Amino acid sequence: MFTDALRIQLKKSRKNIHVMELVPPLVAETNLLSDMQSGGIPSMSLETLVKHGIQGMEHNKKRIVPGFSKFLRFAGKYFPDALSNAMARG
């Protein structure tokens, strides 16, 4: 929501700024993975995430949602209660 609002505000005053949102999934090569359980959530390599980001920039995308984050975004949009309940159960 923040990037959408920022995009709208900047579009009115500055024509030469492009706001892109990158919604990363769980990334395998971070320190976060060793401290938490993934719970079976598939992770993505950092290299793959960077490739998605660069491709999105090359194609002037507004939002890049690679890997499992695409599923979570879809589920949150169409099944918000089910997703919240599943995440609360752990």
Side-chain angles (χ1 to χ4, degrees):
M1 291 171 68
F2 173 77
T3 53
D4 289 337
L6 183 62
R7 186 179 300 114
I8 291 167
Q9 288 178 357
L10 289 173
K11 187 177 183 179
K12 293 177 184 178
S13 62
R14 297 198 169 103
K15 305 290 183 195
N16 61 345
I17 296 178
H18 177 74
V19 178
M20 181 186 80
E21 177 183 10
L22 176 60
V23 183
L26 184 63
V27 178
E29 292 102 10
T30 66
N31 294 335
L32 297 175
L33 191 57
S34 63
D35 293 339
M36 63 183 235
Q37 298 296 325
S38 68
I41 297 172
S43 64
M44 177 179 283
S45 73
L46 184 58
E47 180 180 350
T48 302
L49 177 63
V50 170
K51 285 181 184 179
H52 281 283
I54 291 171
Q55 287 174 349
M57 285 187 267
E58 289 173 343
H59 292 98
N60 217 22
K61 297 282 186 174
K62 289 182 180 178
R63 186 174 292 110
I64 303 165
V65 189
F68 193 68
S69 59
K70 187 178 291 187
F71 167 76
L72 290 176
R73 182 169 166 78
F74 174 83
K77 187 175 183 178
Y78 294 103
F79 310 104
D81 293 335
L83 182 62
S84 296
N85 291 338
M87 292 177 79
R89 284 192 292 269

